Amino acid sequence: MRTQVCIIGGGPSGLLLSQLLHKKGIDSVVLERKTKDYVLGRIRAGILETGMVELMREAGVGERMDRECIVHDGTVISYGDEEFRIDFTELTGSHVVVYGQTEVTRDLYEAREKAEGKIVFNVENVQIKDADSDAPYVTYEVDGTEARIDCDFVAGCDGFHGVSRQTMPLSVRKEYEKLYPFGWLGILSETPPVHDELIYASSERGFALCSQRNANLSRYYIQCSLSDSPDDWTDAAFWEELKRRIPTEAAERLVTGPSIEKSIAPLRSFVTEPMRWGRLFLCGDAAHIVPPTGAKGLNTAASDIHYLYNGLVQYYQTGDSEGIDTYSEKALARIWKAERFSWWMTTLLHRFPDQNEFDLKIQLADIEFLRSNRDAQSVLAQNYIGLPY
């Protein structure tokens, strides 16, 4: 096959890039190592920044999102039985929306299929060749048969464990990582959310988050040990622990029910630099990971897609390579700010094993300063709704 852009990874970032390029008449092929059903079965983020929402609309896949999403004008932060609200709309003039990553992916698949976009599933042994030349190509296998795609550019949207980042020589990339000494135990339940907006809870027993997907689908998390397994936690034990970590009023109105999904995610901050090598570009989790506290994972991938998409359009429409030449620099400048925000939110709200009484007092002072200071709230709100591209 021959295409202009070969996209490795059929998750939301790869599909979004493919759909945006299609709208500008630029051809692409998407390679995905799993099945479509597997990709759609992954339970992931649900908070979309303003920029992500606008990209979905630009890609022509915003209709269902606009119709079904839940607009969130703010969020609640609690510590013990104290709580306060950060008003995004008042502080920034904007908001975030709740629309699950699964639904984003579903909409993008539908659009690519309608446009007869080329997506190859169940690919194995993907190898990116000659990425540092003017004639890169990708080889892969499906059912034991090898195939080859010649292309102008390769977009690596294949996640942290994908082949794209590993293709970049160690001599040209540098990796930065921070591992956190805890994880998040999360459950999905067909129950009404405990609150209209998200509750970020800091407690003596650890962090908790009350989130949602729709009016009858809730997503809850509690900070847990990295040595824990989901099997260690019955539904009853999870609900009981969650109630201990959120304000009493919220705990009393919490509607519990059987979990339909339960998993533990370790927390890490990770960035690789640069995000371009020759004609290979890294996007999303292939280049960076954030702890989920700031709701930035999918949204940082979207900002990468924004920069790469616009750079490729500029290249194909005018022959000017300035956009793709500055892709890594522009993407990383925004990524590091998102990394800082996610690290700060995580540090602010979680209990760390090595914290002493002084550390806990500082943490409490930080939360109370946020509660009482409008400028501090404005900084949080600006970061939460998404810094401009």
Side-chain angles (χ1 to χ4, degrees), residues 273-295:
E273 295 183 352
M275 290 170 58
R276 178 195 181 185
W277 180 56
R279 295 200 166 206
L280 168 64
F281 302 87
L282 303 181
C283 302
D285 288 359
H288 44 77
I289 302 284
V290 289
T293 324

Side-chain angles (χ1 to χ4, degrees), residues 146-195:
E146 185 171 304
R148 169 174 167 153
I149 300 177
D150 292 280
C151 53
D152 299 329
F153 301 100
V154 180
C157 305
D158 51 348
F160 182 78
H161 299 288
V163 68
S164 297
R165 186 178 74 258
Q166 304 301 327
T167 298
M168 293 177 63
L170 287 170
S171 59
V172 302
R173 63 181 159 101
K174 184 172 183 179
E175 297 181 349
Y176 304 82
E177 185 173 42
K178 177 178 178 61
L179 301 177
Y180 298 86
F182 42 72
W184 277 16
L185 170 65
I187 72 165
L188 198 65
S189 63
E190 292 176 325
T191 55
V194 69
H195 196 281

